[in-house]
């Protein structure tokens, strides 16, 4: 099998799905020109998209390069990237390159790491991605509305050597709350939702369309990159008749393993790469089911086998392991220990935010807080004068115990680092899992560790956007 030509084919296929590239100047990697940076020009502007398919009304969206999701940004591990973002939104924005370990000044948090990009202006992001994997990009300004109106896209950082699969697919999943007329429902920042599960919508798109089916062939091995770009919707995906193998979480390779109970749990902002050997029967269809919310099970899409005989008699023999990224291993024995406690929300048993000691450290703009981290509430998107909740000594190994004292799920995202997930509720977490977004169930206690090797002030926040805006956010400093 010629994996290089396969990966080139899928690269073109992926670029085609990000069509409408009038404004994008995506330069595909050129062999033999290693010194050339990967260069993109990305324009954030209002646009229109046919999310629900033919026969359904178009939706007014805000988009990167006029497409939902935005242009696929394809970078190479260890190779300099230059990303020019032009703002034509009519309001401030920034871009956060979610999960990529980059210099603080390139992290895209307005006030904290850069001035906001004013409408009509541009900002140049330049960094060298150290890790291969599946990442994404989105605004960190007026985040709830800008993300909720469509500003998001995937970043794929290619491994130095191609991975042995027949096809490399991306499913970028986005949840929308659409009106009957096809518009995006207003009411961003509803206080009741902010205190509960956040703005969960009514329409899920896959690569910008309400999905029908994914055409597959028996016998092929697919690397499927799942990314959840939703504001609040958590997903638990099952693939009928198949046994997916998780090979990477949040871009970081793990020991290949089947998901617990066959359900792939994917919180907002999380990415999971799976290897899928297509062992179904030619001509048959198999559902991909999301059953996270009780009573709200739906079929996301289906795998539609064509009639051709299997590509190969037995599943591909190549190992499922992806090459590891150069993450620094924390030294658990000598690590500095810290606690982060998530508080607030409805049914917290504390009368919402009336609990003792809450809100004393409130900073932020506008909205009053509903949530807190270690008794402090930082609301909004990030801004100047945020005092760090914790300060880590640069180069030290850090052990962080995160406690969810609330009655709600929270995908907790830390910028600028990947976290080794050690234990959950006292039980060791297997398969060497590293994450930048750790999904915490109600009352979960999760221990993570990392080396504080990236200097700067970094956001740590919930990626349910309503929760972030309403106070579930803080700053951690590496100095
Ligand atoms: Cu949350």
């Amino acid at each position: 099998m010629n994996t290089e030509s396969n990966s080139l084919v899928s690269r073109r296929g992926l670029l085609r799905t990000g069509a409408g590239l009038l404004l994008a100047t995506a330069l595909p990697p050129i062999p033999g020109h290693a010194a050339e940076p990967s260069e993109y020009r990305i324009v954030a502007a209002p646009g229109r998209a046919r999310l629900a398919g033919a026969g359904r009304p178009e939706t007014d969206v805000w988009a990167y390069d006029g497409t939902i999701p935005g242009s696929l940004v394809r970078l190479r591990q260890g190779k300099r990237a230059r990303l020019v973002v032009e703002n034509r939104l009519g309001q401030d924005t920034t871009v956060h390159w979610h999960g990529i370990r980059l210099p603080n000044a390139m992290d895209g948090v307005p006030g904290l790491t850069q001035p906001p990009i004013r409408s009509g202006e541009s900002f140049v992001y330049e960094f060298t991605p150290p890790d291969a994997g599946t990442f994404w990009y989105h605004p960190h300004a007026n985040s709830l509305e800008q993300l909720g109106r469509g500003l998001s896209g995937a970043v794929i950082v290619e491994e130095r050597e191609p991975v042995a699969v027949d096809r490399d697919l991306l499913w970028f999943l986005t949840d929308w709350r659409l009106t009957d007329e096809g518009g995006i429902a207003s009411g961003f920042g509803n206080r009741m939702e902010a205190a509960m599960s956040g703005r969960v919508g009514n329409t899920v798109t896959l690569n910008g369309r309400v999905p029908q089916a994914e055409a597959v062939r028996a016998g092929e091995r697919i690397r499927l990159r799942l990314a959840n770009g939703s504001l609040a919707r958590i997903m638990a995906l099952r693939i009928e008749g198949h046994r997916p193998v998780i090979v990477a979480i949040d871009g970081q390779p793990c020991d290949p393993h089947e998901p617990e109970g066959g359900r792939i749990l994917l919180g907002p902002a999380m990415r999971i790469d799976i290897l899928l050997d297509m062992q179904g029967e030619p001509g048959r269809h198999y559902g991909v089911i999301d059953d996270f919310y009780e009573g709200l099970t739906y079929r996301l899409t289906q795998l539609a086998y064509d009639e051709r005989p299997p590509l190969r008699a037995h599943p591909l023999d190549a190992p499922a392991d992806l090459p590891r990224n150069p993450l620094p291993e924390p030294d658990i024995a000598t690590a500095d220990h810290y606690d982060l406690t998530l508080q607030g929300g409805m049914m917290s048993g504390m009368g919402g935010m009336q609990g003792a000691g809450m809100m004393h450290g409130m900073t932020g703009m506008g909205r009053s807080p509903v949530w807190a981290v270690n008794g402090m509430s930082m609301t909004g998107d990030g801004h100047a004068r945020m005092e760090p909740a914790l300060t880590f000594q640069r180069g030290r190994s850090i052990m962080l115990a995160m406690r969810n004292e609330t009655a709600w799920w929270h995908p907790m995202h830390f910028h600028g680092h990947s976290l080794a997930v050690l234990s959950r509720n006292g039980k060791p977490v297997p398969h060497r899992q590293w994450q930048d977004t750790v999904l915490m169930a109600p009352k979960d206690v999760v221990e993570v560790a990392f080396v504080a090797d990236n200097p700067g002030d970094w956001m740590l926040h919930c990626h349910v956007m309503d929760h972030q805006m309403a106070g579930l956010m803080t700053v951690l400093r590496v100095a």
Side-chain angles (χ1 to χ4, degrees), residues 363 376-380 386-389 468-475:
T363 61
M376 301 205 309
S377 298
M378 291 172 178
T379 59
M386 280 187 171
E387 274 307 302
Q468 177 203 306
M469 303 296 275
L472 203 41
M473 172 163 65
T474 193
V475 171

Side-chain angles (χ1 to χ4, degrees), residues 91-226:
Q91 62 178 258
D92 291 357
T93 194
T94 60
V95 173
H96 172 57
W97 309 95
H98 187 117
I100 297 179
R101 298 186 294 137
L102 40 62
N104 190 259
M106 297 292 117
D107 197 45
V109 181
L112 193 69
T113 71
Q114 69 168 91
I117 312 171
R118 307 284 182 201
S119 190
E121 295 182 356
S122 297
F123 189 90
V124 182
Y125 293 92
E126 281 190 288
F127 53 86
T128 303
D131 303 323
T134 308
F135 303 93
W136 68 300
Y137 65 107
H138 61 79
H140 225 284
N142 190 16
S143 304
L144 177 61
E145 187 172 8
Q146 290 192 10
L147 184 59
R149 290 192 183 278
L151 287 166
S152 58
V155 180
I156 291 178
V157 182
E158 293 176 356
E159 287 83 8
R160 290 189 169 89
E161 300 297 327
V163 172
V165 294
D166 297 305
R167 287 195 294 154
D168 187 328
L169 297 181
L170 168 69
W171 285 4
F172 194 89
L173 305 171
T174 311
D175 179 43
W176 309 80
R177 185 176 294 174
L178 297 182
T179 64
D180 289 345
E181 294 74 40
I184 291 171
S186 58
F188 287 100
N190 175 301
R191 195 173 161 77
M192 182 64 87
E193 282 181 338
M196 301 174 73
S197 54
R199 183 179 159 111
V200 176
N202 53 19
T203 304
V204 176
T205 58
L206 187 162
N207 297 342
R209 288 287 166 87
V210 169
Q212 302 298 319
E214 182 79 50
V216 299
R217 180 176 181 185
E220 66 176 341
R221 172 175 283 186
I222 292 176
R223 175 186 188 166
L224 178 55
R225 302 170 188 262
L226 302 165

Side-chain angles (χ1 to χ4, degrees), residues 57-401:
E58 280 195 322
T59 303
D60 287 317
V61 296
W62 297 349
Y64 293 123
D65 294 331
T67 67
I68 300 291
S71 297
L72 174 65
V73 172
R74 198 175 266 280
L75 307 178
R76 281 188 155 180
Q77 184 176 20
K79 192 180 166 202
R80 190 106 185 126
R82 186 170 190 274
L83 304 136
V84 183
V85 175
E86 187 182 331
N87 179 7
R88 291 190 206 154
L89 290 172
Q91 62 178 258
D92 291 357
T93 194
T94 60
V95 173
H96 172 57
W97 309 95
H98 187 117
I100 297 179
R101 298 186 294 137
L102 40 62
N104 190 259
M106 297 292 117
D107 197 45
V109 181
L112 193 69
T113 71
Q114 69 168 91
I117 312 171
R118 307 284 182 201
S119 190
E121 295 182 356
S122 297
F123 189 90
V124 182
Y125 293 92
E126 281 190 288
F127 53 86
T128 303
D131 303 323
T134 308
F135 303 93
W136 68 300
Y137 65 107
H138 61 79
H140 225 284
N142 190 16
S143 304
L144 177 61
E145 187 172 8
Q146 290 192 10
L147 184 59
R149 290 192 183 278
L151 287 166
S152 58
V155 180
I156 291 178
V157 182
E158 293 176 356
E159 287 83 8
R160 290 189 169 89
E161 300 297 327
V163 172
V165 294
D166 297 305
R167 287 195 294 154
D168 187 328
L169 297 181
L170 168 69
W171 285 4
F172 194 89
L173 305 171
T174 311
D175 179 43
W176 309 80
R177 185 176 294 174
L178 297 182
T179 64
D180 289 345
E181 294 74 40
I184 291 171
S186 58
F188 287 100
N190 175 301
R191 195 173 161 77
M192 182 64 87
E193 282 181 338
M196 301 174 73
S197 54
R199 183 179 159 111
V200 176
N202 53 19
T203 304
V204 176
T205 58
L206 187 162
N207 297 342
R209 288 287 166 87
V210 169
Q212 302 298 319
E214 182 79 50
V216 299
R217 180 176 181 185
E220 66 176 341
R221 172 175 283 186
I222 292 176
R223 175 186 188 166
L224 178 55
R225 302 170 188 262
L226 302 165
N228 185 350
S230 302
L231 287 178
R233 182 184 286 276
I234 303 168
M235 300 174 186
L237 301 177
R238 280 187 293 116
I239 307 178
E240 288 173 349
H242 291 73
R243 299 180 68 178
V245 173
I246 295 176
V247 293
I249 305 174
D250 290 350
Q252 301 297 349
C254 57
D255 295 338
H257 63 281
E258 292 189 26
E260 208 178 313
R263 289 163 97 232
I264 302 164
L265 202 52
L266 199 65
M270 286 179 63
R271 293 86 60 212
I272 291 184
D273 288 26
I274 58 174
L275 279 192
L276 208 46
D277 283 316
M278 308 311 296
Q279 301 210 263
E281 290 172 35
R284 267 192 70 178
H285 289 198
Y286 298 84
V288 180
I289 311 297
D290 175 5
D291 65 0
F292 180 78
Y293 298 101
E294 210 178 310
L296 293 175
T297 298
Y298 67 101
R299 190 180 74 190
L300 171 69
T301 186
Q302 48 186 336
L303 302 178
Y305 279 72
D306 62 28
E307 300 285 353
R308 286 179 292 172
L311 185 65
R312 51 177 69 84
H314 302 286
L316 198 63
D317 206 16
D321 291 81
L322 297 177
R324 289 258 155 187
N325 286 320
L327 289 164
E329 273 300 333
D331 180 1
I332 305 302
T334 64
D336 298 334
H337 288 240
Y338 298 91
D339 287 297
L340 275 181
T341 303
L342 317 182
Q343 301 150 302
M346 291 283 281
M347 296 178 278
S348 64
M350 307 169 59
M353 287 292 291
Q354 313 315 312
M358 304 281 281
M359 292 168 70
H360 66 80
M362 177 187 164
T363 61
M365 297 176 284
R367 218 162 281 140
S368 56
V370 176
W371 306 91
V373 182
N374 284 6
M376 301 205 309
S377 298
M378 291 172 178
T379 59
D381 300 283
H383 36 83
R385 298 183 307 282
M386 280 187 171
E387 274 307 302
L390 302 173
T391 297
F392 308 129
Q393 195 187 330
R394 187 176 175 187
R396 293 286 300 166
S397 289
I398 308 296
M399 179 99 125
L400 205 53

Side-chain angles (χ1 to χ4, degrees), residues 408-471:
W408 303 92
W409 290 74
H410 302 292
M412 297 304 298
H413 174 47
F414 185 34
H415 290 210
H417 301 77
S418 283
L419 308 169
V421 185
L422 303 180
S423 76
R424 192 179 288 270
N425 303 321
K427 272 179 59 187
V429 170
H431 316 305
R432 296 195 295 167
Q433 302 184 38
W434 292 73
Q435 296 185 248
D436 56 62
T437 308
V438 179
L439 184 60
M440 300 186 70
K443 310 301 176 190
D444 261 4
V445 179
V446 178
E447 283 182 306
V448 299
F450 63 101
V451 177
D453 63 345
N454 200 352
D457 282 358
W458 301 99
M459 306 296 319
L460 180 141
H461 63 86
C462 179
H463 227 286
V464 170
M465 280 295 134
D466 295 280
H467 294 178
Q468 177 203 306
M469 303 296 275

Side-chain angles (χ1 to χ4, degrees), residues 15-25 43 64-71:
L15 281 172
R16 255 203 312 278
T17 64
L21 298 170
L22 294 170
L23 303 169
T25 51
V43 178
Y64 293 123
D65 294 331
T67 67
I68 300 291
S71 297

